[in-house]
C-alpha cells in the first residue's frame, strides 16, 4: 500500500507562483511513477506532469515552460513548482503514485488563480 498527501495549494494572483508538495509513504520502493493531475469545475481530470523512477519528466502543453516537477528522494516527496500562473490554472490538483499495478491518489489541494 502507498499513501500520498498533497499540500501547498492556495489563492494567488495571476502571474504568481505556488509550489505543491506530494508526500508518499508506505511501500514507496514500489512506486514507479508520480503524476500530478488537475480538475477544474465542470471539466475532466487532466494529466499535468509526470516524473518517473529514472527521473524522466513530461508536461502537458498547457503548462510546459511554466511548471516544473521535481522530487526529493530522501523525503519521498514530489514537488510541482508553478510559475506564471493563469486563471485557467485554477483547479483541484491531485497527486497519484503508480506502483503495485495501480494508482494511489491523494485527496487533492485547491489552487485558485485570481485575475
Amino acid at each position: 500500500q502507498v499513501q500520498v498527501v498533497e499540500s501547498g495549494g492556495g489563492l494567488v494572483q495571476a502571474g504568481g507562483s505556488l509550489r505543491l508538495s506530494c508526500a508518499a509513504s508506505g511501500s514507496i520502493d514500489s512506486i514507479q511513477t508520480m503524476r500530478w493531475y488537475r480538475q477544474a469545475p465542470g471539466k475532466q481530470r487532466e494529466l499535468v506532469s509526470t516524473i518517473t523512477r529514472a527521473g524522466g519528466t513530461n508536461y502537458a502543453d498547457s503548462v510546459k515552460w511554466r511548471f516544473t516537477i521535481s522530487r526529493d528522494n530522501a523525503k519521498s516527496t514530489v514537488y510541482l513548482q508553478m510559475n506564471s500562473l493563469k486563471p485557467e490554472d485554477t483547479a483541484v490538483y491531485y497527486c497519484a503514485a503508480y506502483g503495485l499495478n495501480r494508482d494511489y491518489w491523494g485527496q487533492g489541494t485547491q489552487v485558485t488563480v485570481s485575475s
Side-chain angles (χ1 to χ4, degrees), residues 39-114:
Q39 187 166 20
K43 295 189 176 181
Q44 288 189 331
R45 190 171 296 188
E46 67 169 335
L47 177 62
V48 174
S49 184
T50 301
I51 187 164
T52 68
R53 194 184 192 93
T57 60
N58 201 5
Y59 300 92
D61 287 343
S62 58
V63 307
K64 204 171 289 185
W65 313 120
R66 299 189 297 123
F67 291 11
T68 303
I69 192 169
S70 62
R71 66 184 186 193
D72 183 334
N73 290 335
K75 297 181 179 179
S76 301
T77 299
V78 171
Y79 303 99
L80 186 68
Q81 177 66 44
M82 306 185 296
N83 298 327
S84 302
L85 282 162
K86 305 175 181 180
E88 52 263 43
D89 294 318
T90 295
V92 178
Y93 284 70
Y94 297 91
C95 178
Y98 179 78
L100 302 173
N101 297 315
R102 58 162 287 186
D103 283 310
Y104 296 86
W105 292 87
Q107 81 289 350
T109 185
Q110 175 71 46
V111 171
T112 303
V113 184
S114 63

Side-chain angles (χ1 to χ4, degrees), residues 12-24:
V12 65
Q13 288 189 330
S17 298
L18 281 175
R19 188 178 79 158
L20 305 183
S21 299
C22 173

